Amino acid sequence: MARKGRGTMRLQDALFNWLQIYLVAEARPEDNAAKETVKFFDHILKEDHGVTEYSITAFDATMIHIRYTVQGKTKMQMFSREQAEQFLADMDSDSKYH
C-alpha cells in the first residue's frame, strides 16, 4: 500500500527524477552512482506511490512517454525531452563528471 506522508515526493516528481537519472545511467554504464540512484527512485516509486510497473514507451522529437501502473490502473505521463535530458547534458559539459 502506498503511504502518504509529509516527506513523500509527488509521483510526477519521482517519475521525472527517475527518468533523468535513468537516462544518465543508460548513457554512462560505468557510473555506479547513477545506477544506485536509479534504484533509489525505483524504491520511491514502488514503496511511496505503489507503482507496480513503469517503463519508457516512446521518445519523440519533443516528449518522452512513461507508462506506469498504480492500483491496477495503467496511466501515461509525458515529460519534455529537453528537460529530461538536461541533467545528462549538464553532466557531460562539466569536467568534474568526466
Side-chain angles (χ1 to χ4, degrees), residues 71-84:
Q71 297 178 344
K73 295 179 183 170
T74 299
K75 301 178 180 189
M76 175 76 71
Q77 178 70 51
M78 297 187 304
F79 295 103
S80 160
R81 185 171 183 166
E82 182 179 358
Q83 289 178 346

Side-chain angles (χ1 to χ4, degrees), residues 11 49-54 67-76:
L11 175 57
H49 297 287
V51 176
T52 55
E53 297 177 37
Y54 58 96
R67 177 166 283 138
Y68 65 98
T69 303
V70 176
Q71 297 178 344
K73 295 179 183 170
T74 299
K75 301 178 180 189
M76 175 76 71

Side-chain angles (χ1 to χ4, degrees), residues 5 9 12-13 23 25-26 32 35 38 41-42 46 51 56 61 71 74 76-78 80 85 88 93-95:
M9 182 181 302
Q12 185 175 0
D13 293 338
L23 294 173
E26 287 293 301
N32 290 325
K35 290 177 191 173
V38 168
F41 284 107
D42 177 68
K46 290 178 178 174
V51 176
I56 297 170
Q71 297 178 344
T74 299
M76 175 76 71
Q77 178 70 51
M78 297 187 304
S80 160
E85 293 175 340
L88 177 59
S93 67
D94 190 329
S95 63

Side-chain angles (χ1 to χ4, degrees), residues 2-84:
R3 61 188 169 139
K4 301 286 183 205
R6 257 193 274 167
T8 303
M9 182 181 302
R10 290 180 341 136
L11 175 57
Q12 185 175 0
D13 293 338
L15 282 169
F16 182 72
N17 290 332
W18 170 82
L19 175 59
Q20 282 190 310
I21 198 63
Y22 176 83
L23 294 173
V24 170
E26 287 293 301
R28 299 167 162 242
E30 74 291 344
D31 188 336
N32 290 325
K35 290 177 191 173
E36 288 302 312
T37 307
V38 168
K39 289 179 187 177
F40 171 76
F41 284 107
D42 177 68
H43 180 79
I44 289 173
L45 288 167
K46 290 178 178 174
E47 297 300 319
D48 291 357
H49 297 287
V51 176
T52 55
E53 297 177 37
Y54 58 96
S55 63
I56 297 170
T57 57
F59 282 85
D60 63 34
T62 61
M63 303 300 282
I64 299 175
H65 306 237
I66 297 177
R67 177 166 283 138
Y68 65 98
T69 303
V70 176
Q71 297 178 344
K73 295 179 183 170
T74 299
K75 301 178 180 189
M76 175 76 71
Q77 178 70 51
M78 297 187 304
F79 295 103
S80 160
R81 185 171 183 166
E82 182 179 358
Q83 289 178 346

